[in-house]
Amino acid sequence: MRCYLRAWLLCMAIFSSLYVFNHLAHTLEETNGRDLGELETPEGGSRDTGNDFKNRTVLAGGRVRKPVRCNSLSVSYWNPFWRLPADVCGLNCFVESSSRDRMDSEAEDGGDESIHLAVAACGPKLDETLLKSAILFSKKLIKFHIFADDELQGSFQNALHSWPSSIQTKFNFIIYHITYPSVNEKEWKKLFKLCATQRLFLPLILKEVDSLLYVDTDILFLQPVEDIWAFFSQFNASQLAAMALETEDLRIGWYNRFARHPYYGSAGINSGVLLMNMTRIRETFFKNDITTVALKWSEILMPLLQKYKLKIPWGDQDLLNIIFHHNPESLYVLPCQWNYRTDHCVYGHNCQQAEKDGVSILHGSRGVYHDENQPEFRAIYEAIRQYPFGDNMETALLQPLEASLRTTTNSYCGRVSHLFTKRLKQSIASVQQEVTRGR
């Protein structure tokens, strides 16, 4: 009898333990669900943290810089390390209220036909020449999304506000803190160049933006930004991003000779100029070599980093190569003149499109704007940097540039300096015609 009693008591103890464990697990699940809900409302918007006014920044002259109400990053249950603080965007995205009001009113009216251009800037020095080149030749309103280190944010504000009022009517801007997932944040930030990997997370941060052009800080536009923006209209139903090839000549290609990871096509792609249909990126499930299950953008980046981090010397660009290697139907390949680098002229002239049409976007990789290795690249950079807003572009920009380029004919790229000014001349002529008609 005692044996049966002991067995019965033992069974009761086991069932009681199971009940307590099940109840505790259920409670934790509900708590986790509430935590997820704090990051995203059912409608996909961010919740009001109540800190809008507490976190305002007062600018010179009493103007107030107010936080932008951005959507927070959604959380994937499959990857809990994606969880970021709820204020990752809501308290870290700043813009002049007057600019934001214009942007909001356009969106409400359904007339937002402006161009969204993003750039990430980290380090001790500010160089707004990229933004200047975008403004000089374009006729459409440009919305700059500037991701910057804390020490650069004030410098960007001051630089952009110092431009003439006639120029400021051509753009709006938002300045954001550099933002990465809390797990491996330092590794993401320094994976390649400082903050270069920020571009990978833009579809998850800028949830209000449908399409975006991201460019490196060493990019110069030699024709209107809307001309590259027009490539969005050429995407087919499956394409969601556009980049140029890393090289057009496999004899000098890096990926086909040295890569230890998958890459796009036979030559790989260069991420210095990147068009993104952000809506499609957020909604697409990507094939991969991590699992047999297709993953969303928010789910795929961290596993790729963990798998390949010892094999990706070019950081974010290598990760994009891996993704589009497995999803080639999702990429539109830009012609090489839209990402023209020294590789296109130092090792022979291997960009036929530029030979025919001229250079549209100049990419000063490897710091060539600031050394003497490629004087023609530096000459173009200095001509745009020194050009005074409002002056005649032919006499104050084009003529000094052509004079500088004539001194570079002994270099490989200098021998084709006419390719650098062909599109630029057309852009300047178009602007001057607009000025003449406006008088």
Side-chain angles (χ1 to χ4, degrees):
M1 183 66 180
R2 290 182 178 178
C3 292
Y4 288 114
L5 179 60
R6 288 177 181 175
W8 181 81
L9 290 174
L10 180 61
C11 289
M12 289 297 295
I14 293 174
F15 282 117
S16 298
S17 299
L18 290 174
Y19 173 80
V20 172
F21 179 81
N22 182 66
H23 182 73
L24 178 60
H26 181 70
T27 302
L28 291 174
E29 184 179 12
E30 288 185 339
T31 302
N32 185 55
R34 287 195 297 271
D35 290 342
L36 297 183
E38 291 174 0
L39 291 180
E40 190 169 44
T41 66
E43 293 78 19
S46 59
R47 292 184 183 272
D48 187 356
T49 62
N51 294 322
D52 282 354
F53 292 98
K54 183 174 68 175
N55 289 278
R56 292 185 302 178
T57 301
V58 179
L59 303 175
R63 292 172 296 164
V64 175
R65 186 175 66 180
K66 299 193 295 184
V68 178
R69 295 181 180 276
C70 302
N71 290 334
S72 299
L73 295 187
S74 60
V75 179
S76 166
Y77 69 89
W78 190 79
N79 283 322
F81 44 69
W82 267 103
R83 180 171 179 176
L84 300 181
D87 68 348
V88 73
C89 194
L91 303 183
N92 291 337
C93 310
F94 299 103
V95 63
E96 288 295 311
S97 58
S98 59
S99 299
R100 182 65 184 179
D101 291 343
R102 290 203 303 270
M103 294 165 70
D104 287 342
S105 63
E106 290 166 357
E108 290 173 1
D109 294 339
D112 185 9
E113 297 181 354
S114 55
I115 294 169
H116 291 263
L117 192 154
V119 63
C122 292
K125 295 182 180 180
L126 169 70
D127 189 348
E128 69 274 20
T129 309
L130 153 66
L131 306 182
K132 185 177 183 180
S133 72
I135 291 297
L136 283 178
F137 312 118
S138 296
K139 299 180 177 65
K140 283 192 173 184
L141 178 70
I142 300 177
K143 297 180 180 178
F144 292 124
H145 299 268
I146 303 169
F147 290 78
D149 274 347
D150 292 351
E151 57 267 26
L152 287 181
Q153 292 183 9
S155 300
F156 267 114
Q157 290 267 5
N158 295 334
L160 296 178
H161 282 304
S162 70
W163 290 355
S165 56
S166 59
I167 298 299
Q168 293 191 36
T169 61
K170 301 177 66 175
F171 69 93
N172 294 320
F173 69 95
I174 309 175
I175 297 179
Y176 306 79
H177 291 294
I178 297 296
T179 302
Y180 289 108
S182 56
V183 177
N184 291 353
E185 178 179 1
K186 292 182 179 179
E187 187 172 6
W188 278 116
K189 187 173 183 178
K190 298 180 180 180
L191 185 60
F192 179 50
K193 291 182 180 178
L194 200 59
C195 300
T197 49
Q198 183 70 87
R199 79 195 74 192
L200 296 176
F201 303 100
L202 298 183
L204 308 175
I205 297 172
L206 304 178
K207 284 193 171 183
E208 296 176 336
V209 178
D210 174 69
S211 297
L212 182 77
L213 168 61
Y214 180 92
V215 293
D216 286 344
T217 54
D218 52 7
I219 291 295
L220 293 175
F221 293 93
L222 304 184
Q223 69 181 85
V225 179
E226 51 262 34
D227 291 346
I228 186 171
W229 191 261
F231 280 105
F232 277 120
S233 65
Q234 299 185 29
F235 282 19
N236 63 29
S238 65
Q239 291 167 336
L240 48 78
M243 285 175 278
L245 296 177
E246 175 66 17
T247 185
E248 279 65 39
D249 186 349
L250 293 180
R251 294 174 298 176
I252 61 172
W254 191 91
Y255 284 106
N256 59 289
R257 293 187 296 162
F258 305 115
R260 299 166 56 206
H261 59 79
Y263 55 90
Y264 176 84
S266 59
I269 45 180
N270 185 283
S271 62
V273 178
L274 171 59
L275 286 171
M276 291 185 281
N277 185 315
M278 308 263 274
T279 301
R280 290 185 180 182
I281 291 176
R282 287 186 287 262
E283 295 175 350
T284 298
F285 288 85
F286 294 89
K287 300 185 292 292
N288 60 87
D289 58 4
I290 304 166
T291 174
T292 57
V293 178
L295 301 176
K296 298 194 76 170
W297 195 260
S298 61
E299 300 169 327
I300 200 172
L301 296 176
M302 189 70 75
L304 284 179
L305 175 64
Q306 293 173 337
K307 179 174 181 177
Y308 288 106
K309 62 182 178 181
L310 299 180
K311 299 180 180 180
I312 49 173
W314 309 119
D316 58 291
Q317 178 171 295
D318 290 341
L319 292 178
L320 289 170
N321 266 282
I322 294 169
I323 291 173
F324 288 107
H325 168 84
H326 296 290
N327 302 271
E329 73 284 353
S330 298
L331 185 71
Y332 181 97
V333 177
L334 291 172
C336 54
Q337 75 262 31
W338 293 97
N339 189 347
Y340 192 91
R341 287 156 279 128
T342 56
D343 292 352
H344 289 118
C345 49
V346 170
Y347 305 110
H349 309 308
N350 52 65
C351 179
Q352 294 183 3
Q353 293 95 328
E355 295 277 343
K356 177 183 177 182
D357 302 322
V359 176
S360 301
I361 290 181
L362 195 69
H363 187 174
S365 55
R366 306 187 185 98
V368 294
Y369 294 151
H370 308 290
D371 60 34
E372 301 299 330
N373 294 330
Q374 301 298 332
E376 59 289 327
F377 277 71
R378 182 169 183 172
I380 299 168
Y381 166 80
E382 289 295 339
I384 295 176
R385 186 182 69 84
Q386 296 177 15
Y387 166 74
F389 278 120
D391 282 13
N392 184 287
M393 284 192 182
E394 291 184 0
T395 57
L397 195 163
L398 182 59
Q399 292 178 9
L401 172 59
E402 290 180 324
S404 295
L405 289 176
R406 283 194 289 270
T407 67
T408 69
T409 54
N410 292 329
S411 67
Y412 288 107
C413 294
R415 293 170 187 169
V416 292
S417 61
H418 62 283
L419 301 182
F420 302 131
T421 56
K422 186 172 184 177
R423 281 291 182 180
L424 185 61
K425 287 180 180 179
Q426 297 174 8
S427 300
I428 290 175
S430 178
V431 171
Q432 293 301 125
Q433 289 176 3
E434 289 289 325
V435 172
T436 303
R437 283 198 293 264
R439 289 177 178 172

